[in-house]
Amino acid sequence: MNRYPLPLGTETLELALPPGTEVLSMSTPETLADPEAAIAEALVHSINSPSLEELIAAKLAQHSNPTAVIVISDSTRPVPYTGPAGILWPIIAKLLEHGIDPGAITVLVATGTHRPNTLDELKQMLDPRVFEHNIAVVNHDCRDTDNLAYLGKTQRGSQVYINKTYLNADIKILTGLVESHFMAGASGGRKSICPGLIGEASTYIFHGAEMLSSPEARDLVLEGNPCHEEALEVAKMAGADYIVNVTLDHQFRLTGVFAGELEAAHQKAFERVFGYVSIPIAKPYDIVVTHAGFVGVNHYQAAKVAVASIPALKPNGKLIIAANNTDPDPVGSPQYRTVLHLLKLMGAEKFKQLILSPDWTFIPEQWQVQMWARVFDRIPQEHLVYYSPQLTQRDYAFVPGVAGNRYLAPERVNSATAADIPQVISAAVSEAVQEFRAKHNTEPTIAYLADGPYGIPVTTKTAE
């Protein structure tokens, strides 16, 4: 057996896989030698925009005591907000240098429809100087209708409700990470506002079944992607004065800082990340092994790696996913569990017919289940093995596929830890290999997607 790193959030384990396994990794980009200098440079030489300092000065000329909002990503995204590569404090420092009072600055967490981040999570994520200066850090709440303002409808009919704290600020700055996204093509940019700061009602079309049925609503596609186009239209309605987006490598080190105007800066970041996260493949594989990475705090988020794996997976092949679902609910919200159970019971085809029916009532977070259904368009549910040690047998009653804890000794099922993950995955792979040999009298092709949801397999034709 050959051994490979298995990176799961804050810890990296070691995974044993059979000889002949092909390791599919994104290319290694050049990292920034001096992140602090690169951030400072980006804030001065901005893309299609005045520098951040010039922007603040212009706002001060218009408002004697301007308020500022800096929008950040939640804890599911590894955005560098602290340390030498931190992008948050340099922005705040510019505001303070121009005499803007700390009490006039709000750091707004773009949770979208996710749960709020806890204080402990925020203290781990953010530069400690944010708290030392008593700068407000607030979670967006998509269900707090008192703090949502209605801006009208998009061309596709979405009702646009946006966080009032953001709308009422005199200086609006977005921050985030640009990586591949399985619906919107890429994260970052406009996504800080939509879905980051929208009301729950604004998701009904944006993440509705019809829009996400588009073949262009997928990883690394912006042009013609309705999800991207809708998010951008909403973001323009809300407005943004400036964005600071970053790109990262396999180890979450900075590969680029892109500051300036919303669309232009985001496009430059997208071009940067596209160049190294694409993994050209010439063929699909019988068995694909992968992991949910940093983002896979629950089953809901792990959909990203499942969908990213599809191009590498033969029809009727087997997919084996490792995850460390550390969220308080390792599966997801009650709405997500409900709709996920429907998919498990009905199968992909009937589930899609149901949610596309005019009689279907939209349920928030159905969009993530619809993404899982894409996986089961390629393989039957029983050909997916999903394992996270936090999932109980009751949880697996909602989760499509084979329960990974079946590969544990009975005494370990209810007391497993992350240390058990490599054993479970290796056992699942061994079983899949044996079944393939017995059925086909030959060896299966096996691929390990070493970067999990961050490296995106594309066919050679697409890559060219």
Side-chain angles (χ1 to χ4, degrees), residues 33-45:
D34 189 342
E36 289 181 88
I39 294 166
E41 175 76 7
L43 298 183
V44 172
H45 299 289

Side-chain angles (χ1 to χ4, degrees), residues 1-5 14-23 422 426 429 448:
M1 303 286 274
N2 297 324
R3 298 188 176 276
Y4 307 98
E14 191 176 70
L15 180 62
L17 293 172
T21 297
E22 293 188 44
V23 179
S426 293
V429 173
Y448 176 45

Side-chain angles (χ1 to χ4, degrees), residues 25 63 134 165 178 254 339 378 394 401 429 438 457:
S25 297
H63 309 277
N134 294 316
T165 302
V178 177
L254 280 183
V339 185
R378 180 63 62 101
R394 179 175 174 79
V429 173

Side-chain angles (χ1 to χ4, degrees), residues 1 83 160 177 185 226 229 243 294 297 324-325 410 414 419 423 429 441:
M1 303 286 274
V160 181
L177 167 67
E229 293 169 352
I243 76 167
F294 180 95
V297 295
N324 194 23
N325 297 150
N414 297 318
Q423 170 199 332
V429 173
N441 197 31

Side-chain angles (χ1 to χ4, degrees), residues 352-430:
K352 289 187 297 180
Q353 291 174 5
L354 176 66
I355 62 174
L356 285 165
S357 165
D359 297 325
W360 170 254
T361 299
F362 182 92
I363 298 176
E365 300 191 351
Q366 70 177 47
W367 51 80
Q368 210 83 341
V369 182
Q370 188 176 358
M371 294 297 101
W372 278 106
R374 287 188 182 182
V375 178
F376 303 122
D377 285 336
R378 180 63 62 101
I379 61 173
Q381 288 190 32
E382 60 270 21
H383 282 198
L384 167 70
V385 176
Y386 183 90
Y387 181 64
S388 169
Q390 291 84 5
L391 295 190
T392 66
Q393 199 59 36
R394 179 175 174 79
D395 291 328
Y396 276 118
F398 293 86
V399 173
V402 175
N405 61 12
R406 65 172 283 197
Y407 300 97
L408 287 169
E411 64 272 14
R412 294 294 299 161
V413 168
N414 297 318
S415 58
T417 66
D420 293 288
I421 294 173
Q423 170 199 332
V424 167
I425 300 305
S426 293
V429 173
S430 295

Side-chain angles (χ1 to χ4, degrees), residues 25-162:
S25 297
M26 59 190 197
S27 60
T28 302
E30 183 179 351
T31 57
L32 301 181
D34 189 342
E36 289 181 88
I39 294 166
E41 175 76 7
L43 298 183
V44 172
H45 299 289
S46 305
I47 300 168
N48 280 23
S49 166
S51 69
L52 179 58
E53 192 161 351
E54 291 169 330
L55 171 68
I56 296 170
K59 292 290 184 177
L60 282 165
Q62 298 170 3
H63 309 277
S64 56
N65 296 296
T67 56
V69 166
I70 305 168
V71 178
I72 66 169
S73 299
D74 69 10
S75 59
T76 64
R77 306 295 191 270
V79 187
Y81 286 128
T82 189
I87 60 173
L88 180 57
W89 188 254
I91 299 170
I92 294 174
K94 286 292 182 187
L95 295 168
L96 297 177
E97 286 169 13
H98 282 75
I100 296 177
D101 190 88
I105 303 171
T106 300
V107 174
L108 181 58
V109 188
T111 55
T113 60
H114 301 171
R115 66 167 178 81
N117 283 166
T118 65
L119 181 59
D120 285 344
E121 287 171 331
L122 293 169
K123 286 184 173 180
Q124 289 178 2
M125 288 167 54
L126 305 183
D127 192 298
R129 288 171 287 188
V130 174
F131 300 98
E132 291 166 6
H133 283 72
N134 294 316
I135 292 169
V137 182
V138 179
N139 286 292
H140 169 66
D141 183 349
C142 71
R143 298 174 185 88
D144 180 9
T145 55
D146 289 339
N147 194 37
L148 295 171
Y150 180 64
L151 299 185
K153 290 186 177 183
T154 65
Q155 294 179 42
R156 289 183 171 88
S158 293
Q159 299 185 71
V160 181
Y161 291 92
I162 300 290

